[in-house]
Amino acid sequence: MSIEQLMEKASTYMKESDLEKIREAYEFADKAHLGQVRKSGEPYILHPLAVADILVNMQMDVTSIMAALLHDVVEDTTVSLEVVLQHFGETCAMLVDGLTKLEKIRFKTKEEQQNENYRKMFVAMAQDIRVILIKLADRLHNMRTLKYQSEESQRRIADETLEIFCPIAHRLGISAIKWEMEDIALRYLNPQQYYRIVNLMQKKRAEREQFIQDVISSINEKMSEMGIDGDISGRPKHIYSIYKKMTARNKQFNEIYDLLAIRVIVDNIKDCYATLGIIHTLWKPMPGRFKDYIAMPKANMYQSLHTTVIGPNGEPLEVQIRTWEMHKTSEYGIAAHWAYKEGLVVPGGKFENKMSLFREILELQHEARDASEFVESLKMDFFTDLVFVFTPKGEVIELPAGSVPLDFAYRIHTEVGNRTIGAKVNGRIVPLDYKLKTGDIVEILTSKHSYGPSQDWIKLAQSSHARTKIKQWFKKERREENVAKGKDSIERELRRLAIEPSAVMTDENMLEVAGKFNFNDIEDMLSAVGFGGITAAQICTRLTDKLRKEQAEYPLELTSEVKDLKSAPEKERKSRPTHGVQVKGVENLLVRFARCCNPVPGDNITGYITRGRGVSIHRQDCTNIPLMSEGEEGNRVIEVEWVDSVEANYSVEIEITGHDRRGLLNEVLQVVSESKTVISAVSGRSDKNKMAMIHMTILIRNIDHLQSVVDKIKRLKDVYSVQRIMQT
């Protein structure tokens, strides 16, 4: 691809003045990228040219083509965004900025950086959809040149493409890009299956081509008799589509019958339905396999008639019938109707309404506490499977799969959601947690006297859009109540941790923690805890940060009260058994078990008098004991002992390592369960070397009980080690 070839293509639909702007953008980018090469060894400028070429094929506007040529200059060269703004205008600079990654900002992890990049791109997309159209073209060319990347990068990029970019292309109706990216991604993620399907398709190619020709001849003959002009072609199913059918339905290749599809393109809608009649006259239609997407278009504007018939030789045959305009839309989606070709999108107009769902991205951006939560919400609402339900008036509403009537209500209007008292589906009353299915007719029952959303609705709602609206109501309507409720929850959690609330809930500390969670002030934070936007445990973890650091790093001066207790004669001391532990010489002090070592009956233990948190019980081999024993800090160490008569359960964390095989985790869980041991938490992971690591928290009575459980796990096949975890 050269600039001359690009200009020649663009000249078929652009003015001369627009072509001059494209050449200017190319020359600027060529100069900026001078000396840079891609991993393939080719000059870097060939990548922006290829991206621009994909957009020209979609007949995108001149600003999009300019931004495509310039999309990497800010990120990969010394050119600043201000320079792009001066030379090419505000709109072009905005598109380039939306496509520029946040490489120069330091992040704690690569995942955090990637999520921030996604957030930036999606917010820019919500403001101007051309950002994502250029990004899709950019990703498609990167996929086409993926062979030059390392194997690890190939798999990472392919996986990211399937998870993020293919669903976006689908939502925008750009099937030409979606199918190609999916097929390439499969080639790198599962090359064995990819090439197996390719080879199986090649084996029957001659037979399939003859079959298609026979079908086309039959349809052509009948259409000519009816005086209908049209273009008929056969196409094989895409490889990724076949792969999904094989895996989802657990079928072999020879069990997939609809490998072929015939596409008929005619001049108008009347001819579409007339052609459908011809098809059904020639071959018997299969029940339940007819879809009219002309009368009821998909949310991404796709229109076509789909029918599956029993074709020649008794083989199922899928036929798609559409007009030329519909075909263009099916290939390039919203780009086929891009309103910027004729001016700005008209607010409330046809295409603005079709894409209104993406405007909700801006609301998610304001509500999410961090980039990770923002991206997860997007995946939930935008990149999942969809259901299509109807209002009583017949309007189609698109919702994430698994949605309930509450999601439907808030999609209709916020006030409808807030006043919901019940729902009817297909004429009968259903509970608010009823899972909606495609084709359901949903009617929301409302009341002006409704008290508003229930706190439970946050858990019931499946879409982040509905949950955001519910949380907004609680923020606004019950702020004072939520502030009091949030403060109470935090104090309760602190007392559960054996920490005196006044010791950490100072204005300074609270304000600092509020800032860390991106709240404007302390009341906003307390209100968020009250309505369930964030948990009290999360806040308490931050509130106690300084306290934990002080105890671990800085010697604290003993209070006179503790000194008196330490120096009191043995006969004057009183003791009190607490949680199975007796503290010698200390009365009315809270006792808590240190999480760093989780002592259990049978362990050798020692006590440490903390400030505001009572006595912390540690194992004597705990790694924190040396820190506590240094200098004056050693005066805080106190003798403690187990009380034999107390029966209680104690939390212990263990880590199991072994060979990663199917059923290993289930066998471990079964062994622990059979030993009548409660499991309070479990997680697992495996690495590329097939090493499995299972992290488990169990409740045990004493050290003998723990040893019994460990011994039983060790006897399992493929278990290498079981060890008790001590946190540092």
Side-chain angles (χ1 to χ4, degrees), residues 488-502:
D488 184 59
S489 296
I490 293 171
E491 288 178 349
R492 217 168 34 244
E493 177 66 14
L494 287 170
R495 290 194 179 98
R496 190 186 71 79
L497 297 171
I499 301 173
E500 179 57 40
S502 60

Side-chain angles (χ1 to χ4, degrees), residues 165-333:
F165 295 100
C166 289
I168 293 175
H170 174 69
R171 293 300 296 269
L172 297 177
I174 311 175
S175 60
I177 288 180
K178 172 182 178 278
W179 288 120
E180 186 176 352
M181 288 198 301
E182 284 181 337
D183 283 356
I184 297 172
L186 179 62
R187 190 199 314 168
Y188 289 99
L189 289 173
N190 197 336
Q192 294 87 354
Q193 281 285 55
Y194 174 85
Y195 288 110
R196 176 172 172 263
I197 294 171
V198 169
N199 291 333
L200 289 168
M201 291 177 73
Q202 287 289 345
K203 286 179 182 178
K204 293 189 175 183
R205 184 173 180 177
E207 177 186 332
R208 194 166 57 242
E209 287 178 351
Q210 184 58 51
F211 176 82
I212 288 174
Q213 285 306 315
D214 292 343
V215 169
I216 290 174
S217 297
S218 299
I219 299 174
N220 250 329
E221 185 181 338
K222 289 291 184 182
M223 286 178 67
S224 297
E225 290 177 12
M226 296 281 290
I228 300 173
D229 292 327
D231 179 84
I232 310 172
S233 61
R235 64 172 186 84
K237 288 278 188 180
H238 293 276
I239 297 166
Y240 185 75
S241 173
I242 297 170
Y243 169 76
K244 277 187 72 176
K245 284 191 174 184
M246 290 171 64
T247 53
R249 301 175 189 175
N250 197 25
K251 289 187 175 183
Q252 295 299 314
F253 181 83
N254 56 11
E255 296 178 281
I256 306 292
Y257 296 111
D258 53 344
L259 295 173
L260 300 174
I262 297 293
R263 181 178 292 148
V264 185
I265 306 177
V266 294
D267 294 330
N268 53 58
I269 293 176
K270 181 187 73 172
D271 288 347
C272 287
Y273 289 99
T275 303
L276 177 69
I278 290 172
I279 302 297
H280 285 179
T281 302
L282 285 169
W283 301 288
K284 187 176 181 179
M286 291 179 68
R289 296 298 297 270
F290 170 66
K291 294 186 177 76
D292 188 345
Y293 293 121
I294 293 179
M296 230 170 51
K298 290 185 178 182
N300 59 15
M301 298 183 291
Y302 176 87
Q303 287 184 288
S304 188
L305 295 176
H306 286 199
T307 186
T308 303
V309 297
I310 305 297
N313 306 322
E315 290 190 29
L317 173 70
E318 183 183 323
V319 183
Q320 300 173 357
I321 308 164
R322 62 183 67 143
T323 65
W324 288 103
E325 183 182 354
M326 292 173 191
H327 178 62
K328 190 175 181 183
T329 301
S330 76
E331 293 291 299
Y332 298 118

Side-chain angles (χ1 to χ4, degrees), residues 24-36 45 73 77 79:
E24 183 185 353
Y26 166 76
E27 290 173 354
F28 184 94
D30 189 31
K31 184 178 179 182
H33 289 296
L34 190 63
Q36 292 182 341
I45 191 62
V73 295
T77 76
V79 175

Side-chain angles (χ1 to χ4, degrees), residues 37-278:
V37 293
R38 302 197 85 206
K39 290 192 175 181
S40 61
E42 297 175 324
Y44 195 93
I45 191 62
L46 292 183
H47 169 62
L49 264 175
V51 174
D53 179 58
I54 293 168
L55 294 172
V56 167
N57 289 336
M58 295 162 67
Q59 295 197 353
M60 288 298 295
D61 64 303
V62 62
T63 309
S64 299
I65 310 303
M66 291 164 60
L69 291 166
L70 298 164
H71 78 273
D72 275 338
V73 295
V74 174
E75 184 178 321
D76 294 332
T77 76
T78 57
V79 175
S80 68
L81 190 63
E82 288 71 23
V83 173
V84 174
L85 175 65
Q86 291 169 8
H87 281 77
F88 302 102
E90 185 178 347
T91 304
C92 185
M94 183 273 293
L95 295 177
V96 171
D97 184 43
L99 293 158
T100 302
K101 293 178 185 175
L102 304 170
E103 298 286 358
K104 295 174 184 177
I105 301 175
R106 296 186 66 181
F107 296 95
K108 292 179 181 177
T109 64
K110 284 188 176 180
E111 183 182 6
E112 183 184 348
Q113 180 178 9
Q114 186 70 304
N115 284 334
E116 285 291 355
N117 285 331
Y118 284 148
R119 192 214 296 251
K120 183 183 179 192
M121 181 182 72
F122 286 129
V123 171
M125 176 186 87
Q127 294 168 337
D128 193 319
I129 203 72
R130 288 178 291 183
V131 169
I132 201 64
L133 295 177
I134 300 167
K135 184 61 184 178
L136 287 172
D138 171 55
R139 177 51 61 112
L140 176 58
H141 184 250
N142 282 333
M143 293 296 287
R144 288 173 177 174
T145 56
L146 207 54
K147 64 182 179 181
Y148 298 109
Q149 296 282 353
S150 66
E151 186 176 339
E152 182 183 349
S153 294
Q154 287 172 349
R155 295 186 65 83
R156 176 181 56 78
I157 294 169
D159 191 56
E160 179 185 68
T161 300
L162 276 183
E163 186 180 6
I164 300 290
F165 295 100
C166 289
I168 293 175
H170 174 69
R171 293 300 296 269
L172 297 177
I174 311 175
S175 60
I177 288 180
K178 172 182 178 278
W179 288 120
E180 186 176 352
M181 288 198 301
E182 284 181 337
D183 283 356
I184 297 172
L186 179 62
R187 190 199 314 168
Y188 289 99
L189 289 173
N190 197 336
Q192 294 87 354
Q193 281 285 55
Y194 174 85
Y195 288 110
R196 176 172 172 263
I197 294 171
V198 169
N199 291 333
L200 289 168
M201 291 177 73
Q202 287 289 345
K203 286 179 182 178
K204 293 189 175 183
R205 184 173 180 177
E207 177 186 332
R208 194 166 57 242
E209 287 178 351
Q210 184 58 51
F211 176 82
I212 288 174
Q213 285 306 315
D214 292 343
V215 169
I216 290 174
S217 297
S218 299
I219 299 174
N220 250 329
E221 185 181 338
K222 289 291 184 182
M223 286 178 67
S224 297
E225 290 177 12
M226 296 281 290
I228 300 173
D229 292 327
D231 179 84
I232 310 172
S233 61
R235 64 172 186 84
K237 288 278 188 180
H238 293 276
I239 297 166
Y240 185 75
S241 173
I242 297 170
Y243 169 76
K244 277 187 72 176
K245 284 191 174 184
M246 290 171 64
T247 53
R249 301 175 189 175
N250 197 25
K251 289 187 175 183
Q252 295 299 314
F253 181 83
N254 56 11
E255 296 178 281
I256 306 292
Y257 296 111
D258 53 344
L259 295 173
L260 300 174
I262 297 293
R263 181 178 292 148
V264 185
I265 306 177
V266 294
D267 294 330
N268 53 58
I269 293 176
K270 181 187 73 172
D271 288 347
C272 287
Y273 289 99
T275 303
L276 177 69
I278 290 172

